[in-house]
Amino acid sequence: MADELAIHRAMTVVVMGLAAIVFAVLFFVRAPYGRHRRGGWGPTMDTRWAWLIMESPSSLLFAAIFFSGQHHASVAPLLLFALWQYHYAYRAFVYPFRIRPEARPTPVVIAGMAFAFNLINSYINARWISHLGHYPLDWLRSPTFVLGAALFLTGRRINHWADGVLIALRERQKGYAIPYGGLYRFISCPNYLGEIIEWIGWAIATWSLAGGAFAVFAVANLAPRAWAHHRWYHETFPHYPPERKALIPLLW
Ligand code: NDP
């Protein structure tokens, strides 16, 4: 156990290191998928398959690691497991089939990096909640869990709603359009804001370094992309609402 704790901590530090690298790189290089897709990134693959393959470890491997842990049958870890799967079972196995089949292909290197990240991230989070960490029944009554779970569910709702608006836009017309309504009145990327709120909620609900590392990574990955999307909207649509911010209503 002592050895595994050291390995677990080292992998958590790796995720934080990756967050710092990703944050720095993404402010200069737009990740080349979706609207920012461009040549020069090697072979590509079908985008639906890319999402399914790269996100599936976060559901399947996470479940395998979780159920191998000594606390896997305890109520609080099981509830945390359910929260995680609420996001990732959808993201891995439902979301890919909501994307239009003719979506631009995704570079294999991008899917590969996301897949590798999800392996590490699944290990550090699943192992912590079902084996290395300690979550007695009382944890569910703690302000930490209650606040964290509430944030997680709020973020999930925002993320799911905002992705749904974009998918519906695509069903109505070919190509990109300006999304309107709800949080889109204030920011360009409410789906990313929702995702970030979810993982901050997870970090608080688990009160763990592993959860914290993933929340930091989500910000590092999605804040620069939100900025890239925001600039792209302004460049593409001359009448893009000027008062709209990128990611944080009224601020940024
Ligand atoms: P985007 O907002 O770039 O795209 C989401 C989908 O909507 C794509 O199919 C996209 O098409 C389409 N779309 C986007 N904007 C428009 C528009 N204005 N008009 C028409 N269609 C549009 O999100 P991502 O693909 O980057 O991410 C998808 C989900 O995955 C999000 O919920 C995000 O939070 C999550 N995610 C989480 C990460 C994490 O670190 N936890 C990392 C990356 C994503 P197209 O692909 O053709 O642009």
Side-chain angles (χ1 to χ4, degrees), residues 33-35 51 91 95 99-100 159 163 166 169-170 175-177 179 191-192 195 221-222 225 229 233:
Y33 71 90
R35 77 194 65 186
W51 275 101
R91 175 70 72 221
Y95 179 74
I99 299 173
R100 69 208 159 94
N159 174 262
D163 275 344
L166 299 178
L169 265 185
R170 259 296 153 72
Y176 294 98
N191 52 347
Y192 293 167
E195 180 100 23
N221 193 13
L222 295 176
R225 192 161 177 83
H229 276 20
Y233 274 123

Side-chain angles (χ1 to χ4, degrees), residues 13-27 213 216-217 220-221:
V13 171
V14 166
V15 169
M16 289 185 176
L18 285 174
I21 294 168
V22 159
F23 187 70
V25 169
L26 287 184
F27 264 107
V216 169
F217 184 88
N221 193 13

